[in-house]
Amino acid sequence: MPSLTRDEARQRAQLITVNRMEVDLDLDRGAEHFSSTTRIRFSCSTPGEATFLDLRAVSVEAIELNGTRIEPAAVVDGRLPLEGLAADNTVEVTATMAYSRDGQGLHRSTDPADGEDYVYGHLFLDAAPTVFACFDQPDLKAPYVVTVRAPEEWVVLGNGRATRTGAGEWELSETLPLATYFVTVCAGPYVSVHDEHDGIPLGIHARRSLRTELERHAPQMFEVTKQSFDHFHRTFDVRYPFGDYDQVFVPEFNAGAMENPGCVTFRDPMLFRGAATREQVLQRSNTISHEMAHMWFGDLVTMGWWDDLWLNESFAEFMAYTATSRATEFTDSWVEFGIVRKQWGYAAERAPSTHPVAGSPAPDAQSALANFDGISYAKGASVLRQLVAHIGEEAFNAGVTAYLRSHAHGNGELSEFLAAMEEAAGVELDGWSKAWLETAGVDALALDREGTLRRTTPTEHPADRPHALDVAGFTEGAEVFRTTFTLDGDEATVDGVDTGAAVLVPNAGDLTWAQVDLDEATLAALPHELPLVEDATARTVLWGGVLTGVYRATVDPRVALDVFTAVWPQEPHDALMARVALAFTDRIVPQFLPEAVAQEARGRIADAALTAFEDAEPGTDRALVAARVLAATTTDEDRLRAWVSGRSLPQGLDGDTDFRWAVVQSMSRLGLADDALLDEVEAADTTLSGRLAGLSARAARPGADDKAWAWSEITTNRERSNYELNALATGLWSSGSVDDLRPYAGRYVTDIPRLAEWVGADAHDRVATLAFPSRVVEPETVALVRAALGRDDVPSGVRRSMADELSKLEEALASRSRWS
């Protein structure tokens, strides 16, 4: 079915205005299908003209336009032509729709813990026509009135306040104008906790089998919700406009969360079943704040078209980290941003699919899906930090408020946002915008031992980006200098640099968007000096310099491993501990080191984890992170068998089912998990999480038969959900010799594109990423994937996933070529 193009959207928006949407859903018709009746009232600026309605139904029972019947056969390729329009029009469509299993549209999932079914709507990016007939584009916003019929024991939630009007019958209050992709309905035997803040009714909801976890975590989530509301009300000076504020944790969700006005949906693994580190709680808190920021940037004011996606995501990212660092207990949240989000964004910048923050081409709605990446989020947020440094926070906040008020309940674009900022700041921003927002690429910064700071701009994306930043130096942990300034050329001599400092740190406060090249003396000093540096942000920059140096082939991965084994056991920040370890275990060791030395490297990581585990105070975040890394890397069969049996467990992990599964995953990768063990652990955990972990564990076993089974399940079993496909793909590539895995590189390029026949684009792109043959680091893999990228049968999103993963594999090949 064709994806709506930008030109089509503009033409339709010039012709019609949607005045009201009325949607009636009957969810009480079994597990496969539901009924949808839609009445749309819209006006036409040029009576007599024609347009089309978006509709992707299983069957269409009736269509009427202004009282005249239209034959259902008129719907072709998801479009219903509407001809001879009047000045004021009403179109009514009754259709049968299908529930999805891939996280898009109206997704229905059965909880294996109790057999209960749950439904939620995820209408992003262009899935709304699979739920109701609509004009599916972000600039045709309208108020919605939704009614729902559901099984009598179900609870219904949505964008408007839900009222039970009869047995199994619900009505949602009329909403303010919404874009189609923000509409949601959640229905099922959800359990709830409620609160209120500043006149706003609050609710948090989850599956019935997660009641214990919901009630345990709700107080902290309510606290962050309230703190975020207060922060945004102060910052924006515009009150939250959408009535009740419900947060619903739903199963098998494709994203982290979705900012549906008044009814935010989250992936329910965020309701941690076992022990959770401070970093995990921070990530959830930041996600709560991120989705709330969207109530203003995205929901109140929506981008006109997807090429201004940054007006949604960059702002939510920046505002969320600002809120958590200033209004919650997580005053160091920018540390997590630096080691997690910026590393994600830098990888996106190095990929061939890099694009500008703003104005990135999105010729159709489907192509925009690929730009929900580390550039639109992490780089965009970093660029906004630079804008604050450029014009001042007071002017920035004043410009934001003016923009929100002038575009409330409508749409905005880059030029309008910049105009509001220029008026508030009294400065011209065209040149700044072209350098930072409208040009792709990431600079590299290096501070040498003569005190010269150099900026290297990628030749393929030339730009003159001014960097507001600081540089610092440390010796024996003491900060011996720090200088703040703006680098507005290719190089500058920095006053006040103590060139004798053991460690020189460009961008020490992590304020700008730039990869850091560490000088040789600094890199050599890190094993001794890095543990002594108390400034967590500076350590983030130094760790990041090591990681990006490996990826860019400027740092020998063996040197990086030396730094890791010397420093990591002493790292006090749990986010840095967890994420740096993940970078080594999931990417650097299996990709950048040849198979012959990778096993020794994994042993060194396990030794470092054991050292950290034995040194950490039991029950602390450090102990928990170290235990998890140890469980993932050790080959100590006695320890693994004791832990999986519940013996000698680290403090705080008794009865922690997720930790038990982590141990089982490790045993599977080592070939120590037979069917009897997996059956036993699965029988003890009949939840959705347990089912997924069991699939991943079976796929992780190194035997050829296990790999063949996993690949067959991924590529031929059409009953697998999006989460099951992800679990299988993750497990398959986590173990096995390169010789055994090599055949799946060829099968990847032929089999994965075919999933488009039954898997939605969002889920398909994710599977294409996770199933990529990343362990087969060979030129032949490059040739296979490059050939596939030129084929017409590869969907655009899958092509983007393939190309981005290929760029990572080529980074590993370049590193091996230089350092082996």
Side-chain angles (χ1 to χ4, degrees), residues 113-136:
D114 54 16
E116 297 285 2
D117 279 11
Y118 293 85
V119 168
Y120 64 88
H122 187 52
L123 275 53
F124 169 90
L125 181 70
D126 57 359
T130 66
V131 179
F132 51 82
C134 58
F135 298 105
D136 189 24

Side-chain angles (χ1 to χ4, degrees), residues 167 175 191 377 399-400 585 638:
T175 71
V191 291
Y377 287 75
V400 165
T585 58
D638 290 340

Side-chain angles (χ1 to χ4, degrees), residues 561-616:
L561 185 62
D562 290 342
V563 174
F564 178 91
T565 54
V567 176
W568 185 85
Q570 304 172 70
E571 173 56 57
H573 199 287
D574 68 312
L576 293 175
M577 277 191 79
R579 295 304 173 148
V580 171
L582 188 66
F584 276 87
T585 58
D586 280 18
R587 188 166 183 217
I588 291 176
V589 170
Q591 274 200 313
F592 287 77
L593 295 176
E595 188 174 21
V597 300
Q599 183 173 350
E600 178 192 355
R602 283 191 290 269
R604 292 180 64 187
I605 292 174
D607 290 343
L610 180 59
T611 298
F613 176 65
E614 291 177 339
D615 290 347

